[in-house]
Amino acid sequence: MKADVSGLIDHTVLGTDVDVQKVGMMCEEAREYQFKSIVVQPCRVLQAVEFLRGAKIGVGTVCGFPFGGDTTNIKAASAAESVASGANEIDMVMNVGWLKEGHVSEVRADIKKVVDASRAASEQDVIIKVIIEACLLTDDEKRRAGQIVKEAGADFVKTSTGYLGPDTGAKVEDVAILREVVGPDFGVKASGGIRTMAQLNDFVEAGANRIGTSAGVAIMNEKL
Amino acid sequence: MKADVSGLIDHTVLGTDVDVQKVGMMCEEAREYQFKSIVVQPCRVLQAVEFLRGAKIGVGTVCGFPFGGDTTNIKAASAAESVASGANEIDMVMNVGWLKEGHVSEVRADIKKVVDASRAASEQDVIIKVIIEACLLTDDEKRRAGQIVKEAGADFVKTSTGYLGPDTGAKVEDVAILREVVGPDFGVKASGGIRTMAQLNDFVEAGANRIGTSAGVAIMNEKL
């Protein structure tokens, strides 16, 4: 069971004061536990690529994170630069304000431009995950957000940044809603506040096929 | 006293789900109370510029916010785009990880490129504030950070993003340290957790000449 689980985990460290030692440690942990990917800030992508050379572990980074309030141009430029530096997973934040205003085509175009710019920047496959910050959305808005993410050509809809304060992370009900909206062949990533194997299992059961957490090592070391 | 105070306040609303109505309301409040500036996400700069046309109120936005982990290229491109859209104040976040690693020249170059790109993007004056996230720094690092900000040609050193959780905002002692480091003719902005006139006065007394807060209206309406 644990071997299956590790391949679902995006091992994530985004703190302001993360240094190269911390990035190196994360990458070692990712090799040891065979996590799916690591997620670091854009300024650490080149280092993570170097640390993970030869390993089959994704290098992910964020884009417009955590507020989603960068312009579409800058989101696309940031994603393209990260991919050109070797990242193959991009976790971007949807423009939630535009969604709330009903500007669906702008929200879709914001995502599509990041998808297109990322794919154009590399020969390798790039996975784009779009964070909808479900804690701010009504259930209707969550459904609309999931649809838009799929229409825009991204690969995953993701629940949360985890950075809006206590209790703003992933909820099992939201994962179930999103899985229903996007269907069985699309990605659903749960993240924010996931710190135990029991939580992780609940999210997977609800339909998540990727888990973002900074507690991956602790989860893998839980006594069975 | 209150009239003097309002001119120190950067009226700030950065939330993920801020919509055009909220931006409009902020700009009306800024006109009514004669705040120094408003601060919005990059995707709201054009709207704020429109709402504040004819008023002598700055339009500010953020850059590399709140983690400071975007690449220098993207920080500079983001600031330049915001300025070209009419922003005249940029609150950027220092690369704190690089500071911790002792990469002083990279930290300085990161700021200088934002300063240069911003100034090149407009004929009007642009004010660059650099957030050092003092809650993560030793006193020595705070001093070094203040020096670097000044050397890089920015206009203000700013204490905090306010987004790293409870009790991570501005501290009076930090403002005093920064004022001592940068001297009397440089900007010091205190922000994060400032919600009362008493706090504001303490920060001004310690040397701050700009205050970032989302509680500006409440502060101005406190009973004397």
Side-chain angles (χ1 to χ4, degrees):
Chain A
M1 173 61 184
K2 284 211 173 181
D4 300 352
V5 167
S6 72
L8 298 174
I9 291 179
D10 287 346
H11 192 39
T12 305
V13 178
L14 294 168
T16 304
D17 57 352
V18 168
D19 61 11
V20 65
Q21 266 190 301
K22 178 78 181 165
V23 174
M25 200 183 76
M26 282 182 64
C27 291
E28 287 218 19
E29 290 165 350
R31 282 178 185 266
E32 183 179 345
Y33 293 94
Q34 288 294 299
F35 292 132
K36 181 67 179 179
S37 80
I38 58 100
V39 186
V40 292
Q41 290 285 349
C43 68
R44 298 290 170 183
V45 165
L46 285 167
Q47 288 170 345
V49 167
E50 206 49 56
F51 282 122
L52 289 172
R53 203 169 287 285
K56 281 191 179 143
I57 294 163
V59 174
T61 190
V62 291
C63 172
F65 190 94
F67 298 109
D70 285 318
T71 65
T72 301
N73 272 344
I74 294 300
K75 282 180 179 174
S78 174
E81 190 192 57
S82 293
V83 170
S85 297
N88 53 9
E89 308 218 354
I90 301 288
D91 286 30
M92 71 174 288
V93 183
M94 174 177 279
N95 193 310
V96 174
W98 294 349
L99 183 79
K100 292 272 181 186
E101 291 168 337
H103 293 145
V104 169
S105 63
E106 284 84 349
V107 176
R108 196 188 295 113
D110 188 61
I111 300 166
K112 192 170 181 325
K113 194 153 173 190
V114 171
V115 169
D116 292 347
S118 300
R119 302 232 160 104
S122 172
E123 305 274 291
Q124 67 178 333
D125 282 346
V126 182
I127 290 173
I128 311 290
K129 310 175 201 122
V130 184
I131 302 164
I132 65 170
E133 207 66 287
C135 67
L136 299 175
L137 305 183
T138 65
D139 284 355
D140 268 359
E141 287 168 342
K142 290 168 202 167
R143 286 191 193 93
R144 198 169 318 137
Q147 279 160 0
I148 294 169
V149 170
K150 196 171 176 185
E151 289 163 7
D155 303 282
F156 275 80
V157 58
K158 176 176 167 185
T159 59
S160 319
T161 63
Y163 279 95
L164 297 195
D167 222 22
T168 62
K171 295 207 185 330
V172 168
E173 314 85 81
D174 291 343
V175 166
I177 289 175
L178 293 173
R179 173 55 68 203
E180 194 198 334
V181 167
V182 299
D185 302 324
F186 199 79
V188 176
K189 177 174 172 181
S191 62
I194 304 174
R195 312 201 66 78
T196 68
M197 182 69 87
Q199 285 176 296
L200 186 151
N201 283 333
D202 287 345
F203 282 109
V204 170
E205 220 162 277
N209 58 338
R210 196 74 80 85
I211 301 291
T213 180
S214 55
V217 170
I219 290 173
M220 298 309 293
N221 286 324
E222 274 183 34
K223 289 209 173 50
L224 286 176
Chain B
M1 174 61 184
K2 283 211 173 181
D4 300 352
V5 167
S6 73
L8 297 175
I9 291 178
D10 288 347
H11 192 39
T12 306
V13 179
L14 295 168
T16 304
D17 57 352
V18 167
D19 62 10
V20 65
Q21 267 190 299
K22 178 78 182 164
V23 174
M25 200 182 75
M26 281 182 65
C27 291
E28 288 218 18
E29 290 166 350
R31 282 178 185 268
E32 183 179 346
Y33 293 94
Q34 289 293 299
F35 292 132
K36 180 68 178 178
S37 81
I38 58 100
V39 186
V40 292
Q41 290 284 348
C43 68
R44 299 291 172 183
V45 165
L46 285 168
Q47 290 170 343
V49 167
E50 207 48 57
F51 282 123
L52 288 174
R53 202 169 288 286
K56 281 189 179 145
I57 294 163
V59 174
T61 190
V62 289
C63 172
F65 190 94
F67 299 109
D70 286 318
T71 64
T72 301
N73 273 344
I74 294 300
K75 283 181 178 174
S78 174
E81 191 192 58
S82 294
V83 169
S85 297
N88 54 9
E89 308 217 353
I90 301 288
D91 287 29
M92 71 174 287
V93 183
M94 174 179 278
N95 193 309
V96 174
W98 293 350
L99 183 77
K100 293 271 183 187
E101 291 168 335
H103 293 145
V104 169
S105 63
E106 285 84 347
V107 176
R108 195 188 295 113
D110 188 61
I111 300 167
K112 191 170 183 325
K113 194 154 174 189
V114 171
V115 169
D116 291 347
S118 300
R119 302 232 160 104
S122 171
E123 305 274 291
Q124 68 177 333
D125 282 346
V126 183
I127 289 172
I128 312 292
K129 309 174 202 124
V130 184
I131 302 165
I132 65 168
E133 207 66 288
C135 68
L136 298 175
L137 306 183
T138 65
D139 285 353
D140 268 359
E141 287 167 343
K142 291 168 202 167
R143 287 192 192 93
R144 199 170 315 136
Q147 279 160 0
I148 294 169
V149 171
K150 196 172 176 185
E151 289 163 7
D155 303 282
F156 275 79
V157 59
K158 175 176 166 185
T159 59
S160 319
T161 63
Y163 279 95
L164 296 196
D167 222 22
T168 62
K171 294 205 183 335
V172 168
E173 314 84 82
D174 291 344
V175 166
I177 289 174
L178 293 173
R179 174 54 69 203
E180 195 198 334
V181 167
V182 299
D185 302 324
F186 199 79
V188 175
K189 177 173 171 180
S191 63
I194 303 174
R195 310 199 68 78
T196 68
M197 184 68 87
Q199 286 177 296
L200 186 150
N201 283 333
D202 286 347
F203 282 108
V204 170
E205 219 162 278
N209 58 338
R210 197 73 81 86
I211 301 291
T213 180
S214 54
V217 171
I219 290 172
M220 298 309 293
N221 286 324
E222 274 183 36
K223 291 210 170 51
L224 287 176

